[in-house]
């Protein structure tokens, strides 16, 4: 089922996600709905807060990035079919010299800004089987994970840009809050009148 994506300004996007247990009601269904919602909106990642759930859960599929001809063959191959569910993720390390990449977010449509992040991460998480694993990721995969991980910590990519850039996008953010934006996927806006 395609869920509405929660727009910028909703308090759920600022909550730190709660830890999930294997007994979490409807977890498999929630995960399936999140993938369906992400694909419907042409996203590469989606976190539970973005569908109104303050949980430590996000899903990723970096396949759309694999078509980028500016990337080396090895990275294109790595991105193609990288699909993963992250439950109760905990960032262990972020290392290397920060690099810039133009990021966007399904909860903040029509806003894209350069964000600096570390190239390599070590993260601990469970997949749907709840077996804990620790893995190292780098490049674009690491970046997508960091962006989604921020969501379960109540952080948005717009928090990571300069105050000047924040001022420049203030009107766009206000329009999103009030639902004065159009995109081709369902959204729910916190400040929209008659909601």
């Amino acid at each position: 089922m395609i869920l509405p994506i929660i727009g910028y300004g909703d308090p759920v996007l600022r909550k730190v996600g709660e830890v999930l247990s294997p007994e979490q009601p409807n977890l498999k269904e929630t995960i399936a709905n999140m993938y369906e919602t992400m694909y419907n909106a042409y996203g590469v990642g989606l976190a539970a807060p973005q569908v109104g759930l303050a949980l430590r859960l996000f899903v990723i599929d970096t396949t759309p990035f694999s078509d980028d001809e500016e990337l080396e063959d090895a990275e294109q191959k790595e991105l193609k079919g990288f699909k993963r569910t992250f439950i109760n993720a905990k960032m262990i390390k972020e290392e290397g010299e920060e690099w810039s990449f133009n990021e966007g977010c399904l909860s903040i449509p029509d806003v894209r800004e350069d964000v600096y992040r570390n190239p390599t991460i070590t993260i601990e998480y469970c997949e749907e089987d709840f077996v804990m694993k620790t893995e190292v990721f780098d490049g674009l995969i690491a970046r997508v994970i960091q962006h989604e991980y921020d969501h379960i910590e109540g952080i948005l990519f717009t928090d990571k840009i300069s105050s000047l850039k924040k001022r420049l996008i203030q009107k766009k953010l206000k329009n999103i809050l009030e639902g004065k934006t159009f995109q081709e996927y369902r959204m729910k806006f916190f400040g929209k009148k008659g909601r």
Side-chain angles (χ1 to χ4, degrees):
M1 183 171 73
I2 295 167
L3 306 168
I5 291 174
I6 303 299
Y8 176 87
D10 193 300
V12 74
L13 295 174
R14 292 302 185 178
K15 288 184 178 162
V16 174
E18 291 174 26
V19 171
L20 288 89
S21 76
E23 292 75 46
Q24 182 76 28
N26 309 319
L27 182 59
K28 284 203 181 319
E29 185 186 343
T30 299
I31 291 168
N33 290 345
M34 284 175 65
Y35 275 110
E36 195 177 344
T37 302
M38 177 181 76
Y39 292 137
N40 179 65
Y42 302 103
V44 292
L46 187 69
Q50 293 180 276
V51 291
L53 304 169
L55 300 171
R56 296 191 77 75
L57 166 66
F58 58 89
V59 298
I60 281 174
D61 187 341
T62 59
T63 303
F65 282 146
S66 67
D67 296 335
D68 187 340
E69 288 167 9
E70 289 180 21
L71 299 173
E72 291 177 20
D73 290 350
E75 191 165 14
Q76 282 182 331
K77 198 179 270 181
E78 196 180 9
L79 290 162
K80 194 169 187 67
F82 182 86
K83 179 180 173 182
R84 198 75 55 97
T85 300
F86 290 78
I87 297 172
N88 298 335
K90 184 173 179 234
M91 194 68 73
I92 307 297
K93 261 194 300 202
E94 294 173 281
E95 45 197 344
E97 193 176 321
E98 291 190 342
W99 63 293
S100 170
F101 186 81
N102 196 255
E103 292 188 21
C105 178
L106 296 176
S107 292
I108 313 175
D110 302 324
V111 174
R112 297 194 66 85
E113 290 295 338
D114 288 343
V115 176
Y116 283 86
R117 296 190 189 271
N118 301 91
T120 305
I121 61 165
T122 305
I123 192 165
E124 193 178 84
Y125 70 100
C126 303
E127 284 190 280
E128 290 179 53
D129 56 10
F130 275 85
V131 173
M132 187 63 81
K133 50 171 70 172
T134 304
E135 283 191 89
V136 176
F137 297 103
D138 54 28
L140 274 176
I141 290 174
R143 177 170 290 271
V144 176
I145 293 169
Q146 286 167 308
H147 179 108
E148 299 309 326
Y149 182 83
D150 279 353
H151 274 299
I152 65 170
E153 292 290 326
I155 298 166
L156 300 173
F157 86 94
T158 49
D159 299 340
K160 296 184 174 285
I161 62 175
S162 71
S163 48
L164 171 65
K165 291 242 174 94
K166 277 184 196 153
R167 281 199 300 278
L168 293 174
I169 62 168
Q170 204 137 32
K171 178 96 174 102
K172 279 185 176 179
L173 295 178
K174 186 176 185 289
N175 285 343
I176 295 166
L177 175 70
E178 295 172 357
K180 296 176 185 166
T181 179
F182 176 78
Q183 57 296 314
E184 292 181 12
Y185 51 89
R186 277 177 66 205
M187 285 193 79
K188 196 169 170 186
F189 302 101
F190 184 69
K192 191 171 185 178
K193 301 207 180 352
R195 161 178 194 248

